Amino acid sequence: AQSVSQHNHHVILSEAASLELGCNYSYGGTVNLFWYVQYPGQHLQLLLKYFSGDPLVKGIKGFEAEFIKSKFSFNLRKPSVQWSDTAEYFCAVEEYGNKLVFGAGTILRVKS
Amino acid sequence: DTAVSQTPKYLVTQMGNDKSIKCEQNLGHDTMYWYKQDSKKFLKIMFSYNNKELIINETVPNRFSPKSPDKAHLNLHINSLELGDSAVYFCASSQGQAGGETQYFGPGTRLLVL
């Protein structure tokens, strides 16, 4: 079965700093990959997803993620974070038929 | 307009009790899910239903029984609650069950078993 590792559990950044959150999944083949975000007091929502085509995926609010098949990775990036990006970020891989396997999440705190 | 709603938001109960959590989606989706988020924050799928039919049934104790009266509702009934059932339970829905579909999550139900 798939497993997902998110390397950083807590990240603290100042506004305007660049962000990269690591995500690795355990085995290859055709995969669909997702980043979900949970802002304080809000529902978990989709940030971006990859299921085919260009391995560099752009999502909402200036986020992007790059799928590197050879490294089993799908890292999330943002060139300049804002205070409003404070949230918990979850990486997920689709095992089959919409069955998502999630990582443990990364809590991002952006200091203003 | 809440897309995926769950009730109750918080549930505190004694070991051995039976409880239910309700989920409703108004997105017109065909597929619904239940996830459990444990103390280590891992979200793990428990069940999924497509148009009232059970599709995914992970290794979950049979004390947990999902019920889908129609495709807009997926309720979770838990018998004989145990301490280890304490967790946050999330409901979600998606348009269908094809690959790559976005899942829309509810706010979660925080269950505490004493």
PDB file of all heavy atoms in Angstrom, chain B residues 98-111:
ATOM      1  N   ALA B  98     -14.018   8.479 -10.621  1.00  0.00           N
ATOM      2  CA  ALA B  98     -12.934   8.398 -11.589  1.00  0.00           C
ATOM      3  C   ALA B  98     -11.663   8.945 -10.946  1.00  0.00           C
ATOM      4  O   ALA B  98     -11.723   9.680  -9.971  1.00  0.00           O
ATOM      5  CB  ALA B  98     -13.295   9.223 -12.817  1.00  0.00           C
ATOM      6  N   GLY B  99     -10.552   8.609 -11.480  1.00  0.00           N
ATOM      7  CA  GLY B  99      -9.303   9.066 -10.904  1.00  0.00           C
ATOM      8  C   GLY B  99      -9.124  10.571 -10.989  1.00  0.00           C
ATOM      9  O   GLY B  99      -9.605  11.207 -11.916  1.00  0.00           O
ATOM     10  N   GLY B 100      -8.412  11.111 -10.016  1.00  0.00           N
ATOM     11  CA  GLY B 100      -8.065  12.521 -10.042  1.00  0.00           C
ATOM     12  C   GLY B 100      -9.163  13.474  -9.624  1.00  0.00           C
ATOM     13  O   GLY B 100      -9.027  14.686  -9.791  1.00  0.00           O
ATOM     14  N   GLU B 101     -10.250  12.963  -9.068  1.00  0.00           N
ATOM     15  CA  GLU B 101     -11.357  13.844  -8.699  1.00  0.00           C
ATOM     16  C   GLU B 101     -11.041  14.612  -7.418  1.00  0.00           C
ATOM     17  O   GLU B 101     -10.443  14.084  -6.488  1.00  0.00           O
ATOM     18  CB  GLU B 101     -12.619  13.010  -8.483  1.00  0.00           C
ATOM     19  CG  GLU B 101     -13.046  12.275  -9.715  1.00  0.00           C
ATOM     20  CD  GLU B 101     -14.489  12.502 -10.047  1.00  0.00           C
ATOM     21  OE1 GLU B 101     -15.115  13.407  -9.472  1.00  0.00           O
ATOM     22  OE2 GLU B 101     -15.003  11.772 -10.898  1.00  0.00           O
ATOM     23  N   THR B 102     -11.508  15.836  -7.361  1.00  0.00           N
ATOM     24  CA  THR B 102     -11.363  16.643  -6.160  1.00  0.00           C
ATOM     25  C   THR B 102     -12.384  16.179  -5.134  1.00  0.00           C
ATOM     26  O   THR B 102     -13.560  15.965  -5.456  1.00  0.00           O
ATOM     27  CB  THR B 102     -11.616  18.125  -6.480  1.00  0.00           C
ATOM     28  OG1 THR B 102     -10.635  18.558  -7.432  1.00  0.00           O
ATOM     29  CG2 THR B 102     -11.516  18.977  -5.224  1.00  0.00           C
ATOM     30  N   GLN B 103     -11.921  16.021  -3.901  1.00  0.00           N
ATOM     31  CA  GLN B 103     -12.836  15.698  -2.815  1.00  0.00           C
ATOM     32  C   GLN B 103     -13.099  16.956  -2.001  1.00  0.00           C
ATOM     33  O   GLN B 103     -12.192  17.744  -1.744  1.00  0.00           O
ATOM     34  CB  GLN B 103     -12.258  14.591  -1.937  1.00  0.00           C
ATOM     35  CG  GLN B 103     -12.130  13.274  -2.716  1.00  0.00           C
ATOM     36  CD  GLN B 103     -11.689  12.107  -1.878  1.00  0.00           C
ATOM     37  OE1 GLN B 103     -11.828  12.090  -0.654  1.00  0.00           O
ATOM     38  NE2 GLN B 103     -11.148  11.091  -2.541  1.00  0.00           N
ATOM     39  N   TYR B 104     -14.352  17.132  -1.622  1.00  0.00           N
ATOM     40  CA  TYR B 104     -14.783  18.289  -0.849  1.00  0.00           C
ATOM     41  C   TYR B 104     -15.105  17.804   0.567  1.00  0.00           C
ATOM     42  O   TYR B 104     -15.918  16.891   0.738  1.00  0.00           O
ATOM     43  CB  TYR B 104     -16.014  18.935  -1.494  1.00  0.00           C
ATOM     44  CG  TYR B 104     -15.712  19.522  -2.845  1.00  0.00           C
ATOM     45  CD1 TYR B 104     -15.663  18.711  -3.983  1.00  0.00           C
ATOM     46  CD2 TYR B 104     -15.450  20.879  -2.999  1.00  0.00           C
ATOM     47  CE1 TYR B 104     -15.357  19.233  -5.219  1.00  0.00           C
ATOM     48  CE2 TYR B 104     -15.150  21.419  -4.240  1.00  0.00           C
ATOM     49  CZ  TYR B 104     -15.100  20.587  -5.344  1.00  0.00           C
ATOM     50  OH  TYR B 104     -14.788  21.113  -6.577  1.00  0.00           O
ATOM     51  N   PHE B 105     -14.463  18.444   1.533  1.00  0.00           N
ATOM     52  CA  PHE B 105     -14.541  17.947   2.909  1.00  0.00           C
ATOM     53  C   PHE B 105     -15.510  18.746   3.766  1.00  0.00           C
ATOM     54  O   PHE B 105     -15.694  19.945   3.587  1.00  0.00           O
ATOM     55  CB  PHE B 105     -13.143  17.991   3.554  1.00  0.00           C
ATOM     56  CG  PHE B 105     -12.241  16.891   3.068  1.00  0.00           C
ATOM     57  CD1 PHE B 105     -11.580  17.003   1.850  1.00  0.00           C
ATOM     58  CD2 PHE B 105     -12.065  15.742   3.812  1.00  0.00           C
ATOM     59  CE1 PHE B 105     -10.762  15.983   1.387  1.00  0.00           C
ATOM     60  CE2 PHE B 105     -11.249  14.718   3.362  1.00  0.00           C
ATOM     61  CZ  PHE B 105     -10.594  14.839   2.142  1.00  0.00           C
ATOM     62  N   GLY B 106     -16.084  18.039   4.739  1.00  0.00           N
ATOM     63  CA  GLY B 106     -16.870  18.694   5.768  1.00  0.00           C
ATOM     64  C   GLY B 106     -15.971  19.243   6.863  1.00  0.00           C
ATOM     65  O   GLY B 106     -14.747  19.082   6.812  1.00  0.00           O
ATOM     66  N   PRO B 107     -16.553  19.864   7.862  1.00  0.00           N
ATOM     67  CA  PRO B 107     -15.772  20.521   8.914  1.00  0.00           C
ATOM     68  C   PRO B 107     -15.190  19.571   9.949  1.00  0.00           C
ATOM     69  O   PRO B 107     -14.354  19.977  10.756  1.00  0.00           O
ATOM     70  CB  PRO B 107     -16.798  21.450   9.580  1.00  0.00           C
ATOM     71  CG  PRO B 107     -18.107  20.770   9.346  1.00  0.00           C
ATOM     72  CD  PRO B 107     -17.990  20.104   8.005  1.00  0.00           C
ATOM     73  N   GLY B 108     -15.616  18.329   9.928  1.00  0.00           N
ATOM     74  CA  GLY B 108     -15.107  17.362  10.892  1.00  0.00           C
ATOM     75  C   GLY B 108     -15.987  17.270  12.130  1.00  0.00           C
ATOM     76  O   GLY B 108     -16.660  18.225  12.520  1.00  0.00           O
ATOM     77  N   THR B 109     -15.994  16.083  12.726  1.00  0.00           N
ATOM     78  CA  THR B 109     -16.671  15.839  14.003  1.00  0.00           C
ATOM     79  C   THR B 109     -15.621  15.324  14.975  1.00  0.00           C
ATOM     80  O   THR B 109     -15.001  14.290  14.732  1.00  0.00           O
ATOM     81  CB  THR B 109     -17.795  14.802  13.840  1.00  0.00           C
ATOM     82  OG1 THR B 109     -18.810  15.330  13.004  1.00  0.00           O
ATOM     83  CG2 THR B 109     -18.390  14.441  15.207  1.00  0.00           C
ATOM     84  N   ARG B 110     -15.436  16.071  16.056  1.00  0.00           N
ATOM     85  CA  ARG B 110     -14.430  15.671  17.052  1.00  0.00           C
ATOM     86  C   ARG B 110     -15.110  14.786  18.082  1.00  0.00           C
ATOM     87  O   ARG B 110     -15.982  15.236  18.818  1.00  0.00           O
ATOM     88  CB  ARG B 110     -13.832  16.913  17.698  1.00  0.00           C
ATOM     89  CG  ARG B 110     -12.599  16.644  18.529  1.00  0.00           C
ATOM     90  CD  ARG B 110     -11.963  17.955  18.989  1.00  0.00           C
ATOM     91  NE  ARG B 110     -11.426  18.724  17.872  1.00  0.00           N
ATOM     92  CZ  ARG B 110     -10.214  18.601  17.364  1.00  0.00           C
ATOM     93  NH1 ARG B 110      -9.380  17.727  17.887  1.00  0.00           N
ATOM     94  NH2 ARG B 110      -9.819  19.350  16.364  1.00  0.00           N
ATOM     95  N   LEU B 111     -14.728  13.511  18.087  1.00  0.00           N
ATOM     96  CA  LEU B 111     -15.312  12.523  18.997  1.00  0.00           C
ATOM     97  C   LEU B 111     -14.340  12.238  20.133  1.00  0.00           C
ATOM     98  O   LEU B 111     -13.175  11.934  19.901  1.00  0.00           O
ATOM     99  CB  LEU B 111     -15.611  11.222  18.239  1.00  0.00           C
ATOM    100  CG  LEU B 111     -16.028  10.000  19.081  1.00  0.00           C
ATOM    101  CD1 LEU B 111     -17.361  10.246  19.767  1.00  0.00           C
ATOM    102  CD2 LEU B 111     -16.100   8.757  18.194  1.00  0.00           C
TER     103      LEU B 111
END
